[in-house]
Amino acid sequence: AQSVTQPDIHITVSEGASLELRCNYSYGATPYLFWYVQSPGQGLQLLLKYFSGDTLVQGIKGFEAEFKRSQSSFNLRKPSVHWSDAAEYFCAVGMQGAQKLVFGQGTRLTINP
Amino acid sequence: DVKVTQSSRYLVKRTGEKVFLECVQDMDHENMFWYRQDPGLGLRLIYFSYDVKMKEKGDIPEGYSVSREKKERFSLILESASTNQTSMYLCASSAQAGPPQHFGDGTRLSIL
């Protein structure tokens, strides 16, 4: 069955430290890939997306993600986190186009001062 | 500033009631979506609409219906509310063939 897994439910990092959030998917072909962020009490905001081409994609707020076909992964990274990055992050995969997405369970990010 | 507006932030209804959740977008987007969000499950697509009067089932359409009579408005209807429909409901919109781009702030619905 097609699925998206975010292995880490909760991650805590110190302000200024680097960040990597993991996302793995199970699908036979190359899907469309997305990362969203949800701040408390708000809807989701699209951080970045991968459709094809360069496997390293840049997004908003200093985030980037790398598609690794061999590992079926699309991990999100940021070199130096800020307190305002504390939020919940969702990986999503479009397996039949970019409209019907399957979301991971989410990773909650806490930033220590 | 572009906006997706959901009519209520919090809503409490009783079992068996017919419940309407309203969503309006001001971006002239073709696509609109309804998701429910539950802890540990992420977001699950209930329905989406790619044009006026057009709709497509998502992953969990049972117990729900939708209406899109105008391009800017997409309504989610719980025909006979049940306690297992207590959840956070998120509306989103996107331009043609694009992923959900703009989300509303959500409606937290409690069914008693």
Side-chain angles (χ1 to χ4, degrees):
Chain A
Q2 300 162 349
S3 64
V4 180
T5 302
Q6 293 179 246
D8 304 304
I9 296 173
H10 185 204
I11 284 183
T12 300
V13 299
S14 298
E15 191 167 15
S18 64
L19 172 70
E20 182 169 25
L21 301 182
R22 296 183 291 165
C23 174
N24 296 96
Y25 66 89
S26 171
Y27 184 55
T30 300
Y32 299 112
L33 298 162
F34 309 88
W35 275 99
Y36 290 84
V37 60
Q38 184 179 33
S39 298
Q42 296 184 15
L44 278 69
Q45 181 180 20
L46 181 63
L47 283 175
L48 48 78
K49 59 190 176 188
Y50 173 79
F51 286 1
S52 64
D54 191 347
T55 56
L56 183 64
V57 294
Q58 302 297 321
I60 62 171
K61 305 186 180 205
F63 285 93
E64 66 178 26
E66 186 172 12
F67 168 55
K68 292 186 176 180
R69 185 191 307 274
S70 61
Q71 298 176 19
S72 297
S73 69
F74 189 57
N75 294 349
L76 182 71
R77 302 194 294 247
K78 188 169 185 179
S80 177
V81 298
H82 186 262
W83 63 266
S84 61
D85 293 324
E88 188 151 23
Y89 292 80
F90 292 93
C91 177
V93 174
M95 301 184 188
Q96 296 170 353
Q99 293 172 294
K100 294 184 73 173
L101 303 186
V102 175
F103 283 79
Q105 305 94 316
T107 297
R108 184 161 63 92
L109 175 64
T110 299
I111 308 294
N112 280 337
Chain B
D1 192 21
V2 297
K3 281 188 78 69
V4 175
T5 303
Q6 295 184 230
S7 54
S8 305
R9 290 299 303 268
Y10 301 94
L11 207 54
V12 180
K13 296 291 183 181
R14 297 204 173 274
T15 305
E17 280 192 68
K18 190 169 187 176
V19 181
F20 293 85
L21 303 183
E22 306 287 348
C23 176
V24 177
Q25 52 100 356
D26 64 1
M27 294 157 285
D28 201 36
H29 280 166
E30 288 81 6
N31 302 318
M32 296 187 75
F33 307 80
W34 274 108
Y35 290 89
R36 65 177 281 175
Q37 181 178 14
D38 299 288
L41 296 178
L43 277 72
R44 292 177 292 168
L45 181 64
I46 305 172
Y47 271 97
F48 81 98
S49 168
Y50 49 91
D51 202 350
V52 174
K53 297 189 187 294
M54 306 303 288
K55 62 186 179 185
E56 191 166 324
K57 292 180 179 179
D59 299 315
I60 52 164
E62 297 78 19
Y64 303 95
S65 63
V66 290
S67 172
R68 193 162 180 206
E69 296 296 319
K70 294 185 178 181
K71 192 174 187 180
E72 66 271 18
R73 186 181 297 272
F74 191 36
S75 302
L76 179 69
I77 304 155
L78 286 65
E79 298 290 344
S80 177
S82 64
T83 55
N84 62 11
Q85 292 178 308
T86 291
S87 185
M88 171 71 82
Y89 290 86
L90 291 168
C91 175
S93 73
S94 70
Q96 192 171 17
Q101 179 86 24
H102 301 279
F103 280 78
D105 289 338
T107 296
R108 187 165 294 280
L109 175 64
S110 296
I111 307 296
L112 305 180

